[in-house]
Amino acid sequence: MNSPTAQSISAPSITHGTVWALAGPMIVANLSVPLVGAVDTAVVGHLPEPHHIGAVALGALIFSFLYWGFGFLRMGTTGFIARAYGANDEIALARITLRFLMLGLLLGLAVILIGQPLIRFALYCIDSSLKVERLAEQYALIRLWSAPATLSIYVFTGIFIGLHNTRLALVLQLVLNLVNIALDLLFVPVLEWGVAGVAWATLIAEYTAALCGFILLRKSLIKALKTADWSQILQASALKEMMRANGNIFIRTLCLVFSFALFTAQSARHGELILAANTILIHLHSMMAYGLDGFAFAVEALGGSAYGAKNLSNFKRAVALTSLWSAGMAVTVGIGYFLFGHTVVSWFTEISEVIKTADQYLIWMIISPIISFWSFQLDGLFIGTGHTKSMRNAMLVSATGYLIMVCLFQAIWGNHGLFMALTGFMMLRAITLFLYYPSVVRSIAEQSINSAN
């Protein structure tokens, strides 16, 4: 894989600078993601009634299943690319790129074909007001057509991260999000398209970013296509390995999406006011998560490459340094929410009742970073090394525990209990993944011994 994506991997050791060179661009890129969600909420939050906020929240929730469920395309691509990159295997890099791009486009077309009945079924399952559901359906039926572009973007982002070139991942994300924000501000306040304007802004932005991804990777793609051995690219054993890893990540991601979907659905049961307040607070959680994920992406790339190179010392150093910086960032975010959380909430809406309600539950966003960053780091570690079965099993246990906590805690403490269950879910994710961590270390040590022999 030639320029612009390939770089030298000859550095003898991983430093703080190495971590920030990878994490820094991804922090900026990731923080722009919830910013788009924040703008989506803010432009409709300044409309007269709160049901517009709820409609965008429920419409986006549907795409948590339709799109986030396919997050394995980003994560699986990163893991496979990073390990091939660490092993200096140029042929494998080209084959992996073509396999994942083909898979992304095919799945995008499949989503368009089956999307409409899924959207209507999802709205049927969610208990909300008729006004919210009608607007949410309008939003979802527009966004449905962006599926091929969205899934291509996942693959491009995974390639750039796996190749340690997060600057190009940043470019891709900024194109997506800046176009989305600009069109949000045009379509809703200026043209007065309402919730439909938010959906059109997202669809146009996603196709613009997908085109950008093809342009950024054009030289490598042209070379890969010219030299492609399709019998090897479509080799049954290679496809089986890819689908097995992606299947594990899919199950893990589906559990994660279900958990947050359950949170939103349970919020809707408390009424439009609680739904609007919780939606805003979850945006704060997303801003925290996307920021801390910069270090998770760094450990995906660095840990995955060290795993592919069978370098245990670099692997351990990647884990230690990325976790150290992630912990520092988590404390900083928690302090920031403590000092400025009320101000941030007020950016989303001018409705005083929603602001007052959100303030009552802000404490959960203050403590969330300190508890959550552990699971983000461990997720990145398992994705990069390809230990996806362990990650899947840990998530299944965590999601089951979360479902139990939602039922118990919410019955006793209401909306506070709902946030308590979400916090407990993040703790369970970290604990269950940590139990599997020694097996990852052992596997690298065993590979090193086998290589030496």
Side-chain angles (χ1 to χ4, degrees):
M1 301 287 285
N2 293 333
S3 179
T5 56
Q7 302 175 7
S8 172
I9 59 172
S10 60
S13 182
I14 296 170
T15 66
H16 293 283
T18 309
V19 171
W20 272 101
L22 289 171
M26 291 313 301
I27 290 172
V28 176
N30 289 343
L31 285 176
S32 68
V33 175
L35 180 61
V36 172
V39 173
D40 285 349
T41 302
V43 291
V44 294
H46 288 83
L47 296 175
E49 299 179 63
H51 68 265
H52 294 94
I53 299 177
V56 171
L58 292 185
L61 169 61
I62 292 169
F63 286 93
S64 293
F65 282 98
L66 286 179
Y67 289 166
W68 287 6
F70 294 111
F72 64 81
L73 286 169
R74 202 286 302 163
M75 292 178 273
T77 304
T78 297
F80 277 95
I81 289 286
R83 293 191 295 278
Y85 182 60
N88 257 325
D89 192 338
E90 291 278 336
I91 295 175
L93 286 171
R95 290 173 181 170
I96 292 165
T97 297
L98 293 178
R99 283 189 197 116
F100 273 93
L101 277 174
M102 287 190 300
L103 180 61
L105 291 171
L106 288 173
L107 288 174
L109 293 174
V111 168
I112 290 176
L113 291 176
I114 66 173
Q116 289 192 19
L118 287 178
I119 289 169
R120 294 192 171 97
F121 176 73
L123 289 171
Y124 173 79
C125 293
I126 297 172
D127 183 17
S128 188
S129 69
L130 183 61
K131 287 191 291 186
V132 169
E133 290 183 7
R134 284 178 176 172
L135 286 174
E137 181 179 14
Q138 182 186 40
Y139 171 95
L141 290 176
I142 294 169
R143 275 202 62 187
L144 177 64
W145 293 93
S146 68
T150 302
L151 300 187
S152 296
I153 293 167
Y154 287 2
V155 175
F156 287 129
T157 302
I159 291 170
F160 296 143
I161 295 172
L163 291 171
H164 295 199
N165 198 334
T166 54
R167 288 174 296 176
L168 290 185
L170 170 61
V171 170
L172 192 65
Q173 199 66 55
L174 288 180
V175 168
L176 170 64
N177 295 334
L178 291 177
V179 170
N180 198 339
I181 290 170
L183 293 178
D184 264 345
L185 297 175
L186 172 64
F187 292 163
V188 182
V190 178
L191 299 181
E192 299 182 350
W193 289 2
V195 171
V198 174
W200 278 110
T202 303
L203 182 144
I204 295 170
E206 285 170 332
Y207 275 102
T208 303
L211 177 60
C212 177
F214 279 104
I215 292 171
L216 290 173
L217 204 64
R218 66 190 184 282
K219 292 182 180 178
S220 296
L221 285 174
I222 291 171
K223 181 181 178 182
L225 288 169
K226 285 182 177 179
T227 60
D229 182 346
W230 290 99
S231 65
Q232 292 297 314
I233 292 171
L234 300 177
Q235 185 181 51
S237 60
L239 293 175
K240 184 178 179 180
E241 180 188 5
M242 181 181 75
M243 296 309 295
R244 182 171 57 248
N246 287 343
N248 291 331
I249 297 173
F250 175 77
I251 293 171
R252 170 262 179 197
T253 304
L254 198 62
C255 288
L256 183 62
V257 171
F258 167 79
S259 298
F260 280 93
L262 179 63
F263 181 91
T264 301
Q266 292 297 307
S267 298
R269 293 181 61 189
H270 290 280
E272 291 182 1
L273 192 59
I274 288 289
L275 174 60
N278 284 8
T279 298
I280 291 172
L281 292 174
I282 285 298
H283 279 309
L284 267 65
H285 179 89
S286 296
M287 290 167 66
M288 172 273 295
Y290 280 116
L292 294 178
D293 263 350
F295 297 103
F297 291 159
V299 80
E300 282 183 38
L302 295 172
S305 296
Y307 189 91
K310 305 177 181 65
N311 190 327
L312 183 58
S313 62
N314 263 9
F315 175 80
K316 289 183 175 180
R317 186 159 177 80
V319 173
L321 292 186
T322 55
S323 298
L324 176 65
W325 281 110
S326 184
M329 179 70 76
V331 172
T332 302
V333 173
I335 294 172
Y337 282 167
F338 175 75
L339 295 175
F340 307 109
H342 172 82
T343 301
V344 175
V345 168
S346 66
W347 292 343
F348 288 88
T349 181
E350 296 174 345
I351 302 171
S352 60
E353 293 86 354
V354 175
I355 296 172
K356 184 178 178 180
T357 303
D359 284 345
Q360 294 177 28
Y361 305 101
L362 185 61
I363 183 62
W364 296 106
M365 296 301 100
I366 295 170
I367 66 175
S368 181
I370 311 301
I371 293 171
S372 300
F373 87 91
W374 299 100
S375 61
F376 303 156
Q377 286 300 106
L378 287 163
D379 265 355
L381 170 68
F382 281 83
I383 291 166
T385 59
H387 284 243
T388 56
K389 182 179 179 180
S390 299
M391 186 172 65
R392 178 203 67 192
N393 292 342
M395 180 58 78
L396 287 171
V397 172
S398 301
T400 302
Y402 171 65
L403 182 59
I404 294 170
M405 287 186 288
V406 167
C407 295
L408 293 177
F409 296 168
Q410 192 175 199
I412 300 171
W413 295 292
N415 198 43
H416 273 297
L418 188 57
F419 277 104
M420 188 182 300
L422 184 64
T423 303
F425 173 58
M426 305 307 289
M427 293 178 65
L428 274 177
R429 288 177 61 195
I431 292 168
T432 52
L433 285 170
F434 186 75
L435 292 175
Y436 283 108
Y437 175 71
S439 65
V440 179
V441 175
R442 284 196 302 271
S443 69
I444 301 176
E446 289 168 1
Q447 288 183 70
S448 299
I449 293 171
N450 292 336
S451 297
N453 293 337

